[in-house]
Amino acid sequence: MADKKRIKIVVTVVIVLVIFFFLGRSLYQNIQDLTQKGDTFRMHWPSLLLAMVLLAVYFGLQSLRWRKIVVMTGDRMRPTDGVKVWFCSQLAKYIPGKVMTVVGRVYLANRYGVTKTRATVAMILEIGLLIITGVMLFIASVPFRQESSGWTIWMFLLIPAGLVAVHPWVVNQVVSRGMRLLKKEAVNIPLTSWQMARLIVYYLIQWQVYGLSYYFLLRGLDVDTGNFLVLTSTFAAAWVAGYVAFIFPSGLGVREGVAAGLLTPMIGPAMAVVVPLMGRLLWTVMEAGGALLFRSAVLSVPTRKSDKLTVALVAACPFPGNRGTPSRILRMAEALADRGHKVHVVTYHYGTDTPVRGVTVHRIPNVGGVNFASGPSYKKLLIFDPMLTWLLRRVVFKHKVDIIHAHHFEGALVAHLARGFHSIPVIYDAHTTLAGELHDYRFPMPRFLKSYFARRFDRTVPAASDHVIAVSETLKEILVDNTIPPEKIDVVPTGVNLDAFDHGRADIIANKYGLRSDKVVVYTGSTAAFQGVHHILEAAPGVVAQEPEATIFIVGDDPGEKMAALAQEKGVADNVIITGERPFTEVAHFLAIAKVAIIPRTECPGIPQKLSNYMAARKAVACFEGSAKLLEHEVNGLIVENGNAQQMADAIVRLLRDDMLARRLGEAARESLIGKYDWPSLAAKTEAIYDGLVGGPKDE
C-alpha cells in the first residue's frame, strides 16, 4: 500500500515537472524571438507579484464557493477543509480527462465526511456556473471587440438560455437524471432562485478578480491592457475552452491557443503568445504550491476504523466541581466512557475530591489562584486558558483525538485556538447565554463592554463550531434567533445518575445541625447573583410566619456574609442555615432530610443541574417558571410566577404540610427522568452526534 502511494506521488510530481519544462521552454523561445526582432521586453516585478497575489485570491474564492455549494446541498464542511480539498484535487487536472479531477475531489471530500453524491453534485454545479458565467462575460464583451461583426450580436440570446439552465428546477431535474444514469440515489438540492442568482453574481465577481490578475500580469510585462472587460472575458473564454477540451490535461495548449487568438488584435501576435504562457506558468505554480501545502493535512485526516472514539472534553473550570458545568462534564464523560469511548478531560489544576471513574484527566501546571466561583476572571483568561490551550493541543495530537467537545464559552475558545487549522471537529456545548449571565459575574469590566462581548460571543462561538449541543429547546431557540442554523444544533439536556442520591442519610445532617423538626427546605448550588438566591430569603418570612419550626438550608459556594445579613434583616436568621461550600458527597445527605427543594432562578435558558438532582432524589420541587424546564405544574412539581416571593412561600408551606402531595410529586419527578434524562440515554444521543461528524466516509 505504501509503495502504491509513493508511485502516485512520483507520477504526480513527474507530470507537473514535465508541464513546467514545456511551459518554460516555450516561454523562453518566445521571449528570445521577441528579443531577436528588436522588441522591448521589460518586467515590472511589483506588478507581477500583485498578479500572483490576485491569482491566489481567485483560487481562495473559488475553493470557498465550492465549499459553500457543498453546504447548500445539505452537507457540512468547514471552510478551511474546503480550501484544502479543492487545492489538493486540482493536481488531478494534469491527468488527461477531467473526470480525474471530479473523482479526486469527491474522494478527498469524502474523507471529511461529505457524502460522495453531494460532493459530486457540488462540483458539477461549480463547473456549470463557471462555464455559464464565463460565456455570459464573453458575450457581454462582444460589442467592445475590434473583431466583432453584426452576427455576433445574436450571441446575446445565449444569456437568457444560460439563466434558464441554472434555474433551481432545471438544475434539480438535470442532477436527478444524472444520478439515475449513474445508478445513484437522486438528491434534491434545496436551492432557491435567489440563492442561485447570488451564486451567479459571485462567480461574475470572481471572474473580475481573475481578470485583475491578468491585468497586472500585462502591466508587469509592460504591455497595454486595453479594455478591462474585453481582457477579463478573453481569459474567461480561454478557461472555458480549455475546460471543455476534455482530452487535454488541464486544457493545456487549448487555453493558451484561444487566449492568443483573442489577444492578437489587442497586443500583437508575439506578446499574445507570451502572456498566456506566462499566465499558465503562474497558474500552475499557484495550484501546485497550494496542493503541496495542504496535501499532508488532507491525507492525515483519519478514517474511522472502529465504532469507538477518542474524545477530548474541555473543562475551563474547576473539575470536578459542585455546580452545574463541571457536574455535567463529569457525568457526560463517565457515561461516554461506559460506552467504550476513550475520554480525556482537559481542565484546570484544581477541583473537588469527587471520584472520577473511567476517564483520563489532564491538568495544567499548578500556578495557584484556586477559585471555585462561577464566571470568568482575568487570571483565568490571561493565565489559565492559554495554558489550557497548550495542554489541549498536546493531548489532541498525542492521543489522536477524534473530536473535541468543548463546554461553555471559555472551553470553546480554548478548543478553537488549540485546533488551529487542523480538521478535528469541535462541538460547542452551550449551557446558557453570556447575555443572561455575564452582568452578574464578579468580573471587573464596564457594563456596556460586558453587553457588547456577551452579544458577540453568543453569536460567534456557536457559529465557529462544527456543531452545537444545547441543553434545552429554549436555548436552541435563542441560538437560532442568533442566526445559527437549526440543523447545526441538537438538544442534549443535563442528565443525572438516578441512583446518585439513593444512599443519602438524613441523620447525618440532623445530628450535625441539631434539627428537631422534619420541616426542612433545601437549596444547593451556586450563589451567584443570577441564581436568584435572594428570592429564597425574600420568601423566608412568609414560610416562617406559617411554619415557625421550618429550617431553610442554603448549600452553596458563598461564605454567606451578605446572605446572613439579609436573613438578619428579614428576621429569619434563626431559621436559615448558610453552609457555604460543601463536598458533593454531602448533597445526597442534605436532600435526604429535605421535604422541599427549591429553584429560585427566574430566567434560565438551559436546565439547572440542581433541578435534575432534586428530581432524581424524589424531592418535591418549588420552582420559578423561568427555570421549570422539566416540570409540569401539579404533576411533578409546583411552578411559581417569576419573582413572586409570596407565591413561593405558599408553595413551600403547602409541600411542608401535605406529605402525600410531596411524595406524589417527588416520585413523579423521578419517573419523568427515566429514559430521557438519565446519563446512559443521553450518552447514546451524544454518541450519535459524534458519529454524524466523524462517522467516516459516507457512500450514499
Side-chain angles (χ1 to χ4, degrees):
M1 192 69 178
D3 291 338
K4 288 183 178 180
K5 285 186 177 180
R6 290 194 196 96
I7 291 171
K8 287 181 181 178
I9 294 169
V10 170
V11 169
T12 302
V13 171
V14 168
I15 290 172
V16 173
L17 289 175
V18 169
I19 290 170
F20 271 116
F21 171 76
F22 284 108
L23 284 175
R25 189 180 70 170
S26 180
L27 185 62
Y28 176 77
Q29 289 173 347
N30 279 276
I31 292 173
Q32 288 294 103
D33 290 343
L34 283 171
T35 305
Q36 290 170 7
K37 291 176 183 177
D39 292 340
T40 58
F41 188 82
R42 294 188 301 271
M43 289 190 181
H44 300 280
W45 292 106
S47 293
L48 292 174
L49 180 62
L50 186 54
M52 291 188 68
V53 170
L54 286 166
L55 191 58
V57 171
Y58 168 78
F59 283 145
L61 291 173
Q62 189 167 335
S63 61
L64 288 171
R65 189 49 39 182
W66 171 76
R67 174 260 170 191
K68 183 65 175 177
I69 296 174
V70 169
V71 174
M72 285 179 171
T73 64
D75 230 317
R76 285 194 289 250
M77 193 177 212
R78 292 174 58 215
T80 50
D81 295 339
V83 172
K84 294 173 190 174
V85 168
W86 188 91
F87 268 102
C88 287
S89 67
Q90 291 302 96
L91 281 182
K93 288 168 53 179
Y94 298 99
I95 301 173
K98 300 297 185 295
V99 69
M100 292 308 298
T101 309
V102 177
V103 171
R105 182 91 57 87
V106 169
Y107 167 75
L108 293 175
N110 195 223
R111 292 179 70 93
Y112 288 89
V114 177
T115 65
K116 293 179 180 178
T117 300
R118 295 187 189 280
T120 303
V121 168
M123 190 166 184
I124 292 171
L125 266 177
E126 175 200 34
I127 295 167
L129 285 165
L130 279 167
I131 291 174
I132 289 170
T133 53
V135 171
M136 289 171 62
L137 201 62
F138 180 76
I139 293 171
S141 74
V142 166
F144 304 97
R145 292 183 175 275
Q146 297 176 17
E147 70 276 19
S148 65
S149 59
W151 68 269
T152 56
I153 303 301
W154 291 98
M155 294 177 66
F156 279 90
L157 295 176
L158 293 174
I159 293 180
L163 294 175
V164 170
V166 295
H167 189 278
W169 183 85
V170 176
V171 169
N172 272 302
Q173 292 298 311
V174 172
V175 169
S176 296
R177 290 178 181 273
M179 291 297 108
R180 282 198 293 270
L181 287 173
L182 294 171
K183 296 181 180 180
K184 297 284 187 180
E185 183 181 349
V187 58
N188 180 61
I189 307 170
L191 283 174
T192 64
S193 298
W194 173 242
Q195 287 176 314
M196 190 62 78
R198 287 171 61 188
L199 284 173
I200 291 172
V201 170
Y202 184 95
Y203 278 108
L204 287 172
I205 294 172
Q206 187 175 298
W207 279 125
Q208 306 311 306
V209 177
Y210 184 56
L212 272 175
S213 70
Y214 275 97
Y215 171 85
F216 282 101
L217 175 59
L218 265 68
R219 290 282 300 271
L221 299 176
D222 199 24
V223 178
D224 181 35
T225 56
N227 185 294
F228 180 72
L229 175 61
V230 172
L231 180 69
T232 300
S233 62
T234 292
F235 290 103
W239 182 92
V240 171
Y243 201 92
V244 298
F246 191 81
I247 63 171
F248 295 93
S250 191
L252 186 60
V254 176
R255 188 194 304 177
E256 290 70 33
V258 172
L262 293 173
L263 285 171
T264 296
M266 300 167 57
I267 60 176
M271 289 305 296
V273 173
V274 170
V275 169
L277 287 174
M278 181 70 85
R280 167 66 78 170
L281 189 63
L282 294 180
W283 179 289
T284 307
V285 166
M286 299 303 296
E287 277 190 334
L292 293 174
L293 177 66
F294 294 122
R295 176 187 168 276
S296 61
V298 171
L299 296 182
S300 66
V301 175
T303 53
R304 187 84 173 270
K305 294 183 175 63
S306 76
D307 60 347
K308 302 306 176 188
L309 294 166
T310 301
V311 183
L313 272 65
V314 186
C317 59
F319 180 85
N322 292 345
R323 52 188 174 84
T325 295
S327 178
R328 175 177 171 87
I329 297 170
L330 172 62
R331 301 310 172 195
M332 179 180 284
E334 290 180 338
L336 289 168
D338 288 342
R339 296 186 66 83
H341 302 290
K342 295 179 181 178
V343 181
H344 299 263
V345 175
V346 186
T347 186
Y348 291 164
H349 53 290
Y350 60 94
T352 65
D353 58 0
T354 304
V356 180
R357 175 178 49 81
V359 175
T360 303
V361 180
H362 305 265
R363 298 190 183 277
I364 64 173
N366 189 346
V367 291
V370 173
N371 180 9
F372 282 89
S374 303
S377 69
Y378 286 113
K379 181 170 283 188
K380 290 179 182 178
L381 293 173
L382 299 178
I383 300 177
F384 295 178
D385 291 343
M387 295 175 71
L388 192 64
T389 301
W390 180 253
L391 176 61
L392 176 61
R393 188 171 179 83
R394 285 173 48 205
V395 169
V396 163
F397 294 106
K398 178 179 179 180
H399 297 280
K400 295 181 172 57
V401 167
D402 296 301
I403 198 160
I404 303 173
H405 190 149
H407 289 256
H408 228 322
F409 290 91
E410 286 180 67
L413 292 173
V414 166
H416 287 295
L417 289 171
R419 173 175 70 174
F421 292 104
H422 292 271
S423 304
I424 302 162
V426 169
I427 289 180
Y428 167 52
D429 204 299
H431 301 182
T432 186
T433 62
L434 268 186
E437 290 190 356
L438 190 57
H439 289 301
D440 295 316
Y441 286 137
R442 299 167 186 172
F443 185 58
M445 178 182 284
R447 191 173 182 84
F448 77 93
L449 283 179
K450 284 186 176 181
S451 296
Y452 172 77
F453 284 117
R455 290 194 305 271
R456 291 288 295 174
F457 284 130
D458 278 341
R459 289 176 181 270
T460 56
V461 170
S465 304
D466 296 283
H467 202 70
V468 179
I469 290 177
V471 298
S472 71
E473 290 291 343
T474 301
L475 185 53
K476 179 177 179 179
E477 291 170 7
I478 293 173
L479 292 168
V480 171
D481 289 341
N482 283 340
T483 70
I484 308 303
E487 63 272 13
K488 189 178 178 177
I489 309 169
D490 279 294
V491 175
V492 178
T494 295
V496 64
N497 287 341
L498 294 176
D499 58 353
F501 305 97
D502 288 348
H503 306 293
R505 291 178 53 187
D507 62 300
I508 292 177
I509 303 302
N511 294 334
K512 181 175 181 178
Y513 293 97
L515 302 182
R516 293 186 296 274
S517 169
D518 64 350
K519 297 185 184 300
V520 177
V521 182
V522 166
Y523 168 83
T524 64
S526 171
T527 57
F530 63 84
Q531 295 288 356
V533 180
H534 61 281
H535 291 301
I536 300 174
L537 299 176
E538 289 169 359
V543 175
V544 173
Q546 300 176 70
E547 290 291 341
E549 294 185 356
T551 300
I552 301 173
F553 278 102
I554 298 176
V555 184
D557 55 7
D558 190 280
E561 288 85 354
K562 291 182 180 179
M563 287 185 292
L566 183 57
Q568 191 72 39
E569 178 187 324
K570 297 291 183 180
V572 293
D574 293 338
N575 298 81
V576 175
I577 299 176
I578 302 167
T579 68
E581 183 78 24
R582 303 305 308 156
F584 185 76
T585 51
E586 286 190 18
V587 172
H589 304 324
F590 281 103
L591 291 180
I593 200 171
K595 266 196 172 182
V596 183
I598 47 179
I599 303 286
R601 186 170 178 176
T602 55
E603 296 295 336
C604 182
I607 297 175
Q609 178 68 59
K610 61 184 70 66
L611 176 58
S612 303
N613 293 344
Y614 297 166
M615 295 169 73
R618 298 182 174 88
K619 294 296 110 177
V621 180
C623 179
F624 282 136
E625 58 189 344
S627 293
K629 300 294 185 299
L630 306 181
L631 299 179
E632 186 177 348
H633 187 55
E634 299 282 358
V635 175
N636 60 353
L638 296 183
I639 300 175
V640 176
E641 178 185 323
N642 275 346
N644 193 320
Q646 188 56 55
Q647 278 193 20
M648 177 61 82
D650 292 343
I652 292 171
V653 170
R654 183 182 170 197
L655 293 171
L656 288 175
R657 290 177 174 177
D658 191 337
D659 291 344
M660 186 175 296
L661 174 64
R663 279 195 298 271
R664 178 176 66 79
L665 294 178
E667 290 295 337
R670 182 182 171 95
E671 284 296 318
S672 64
L673 295 177
I674 298 174
K676 295 180 182 178
Y677 301 101
D678 57 288
W679 272 119
S681 301
L682 297 175
K685 188 172 183 178
T686 304
E687 181 182 77
I689 296 169
Y690 290 171
D691 287 338
L693 289 175
V694 295
K698 307 175 195 173
D699 297 319
E700 73 265 23

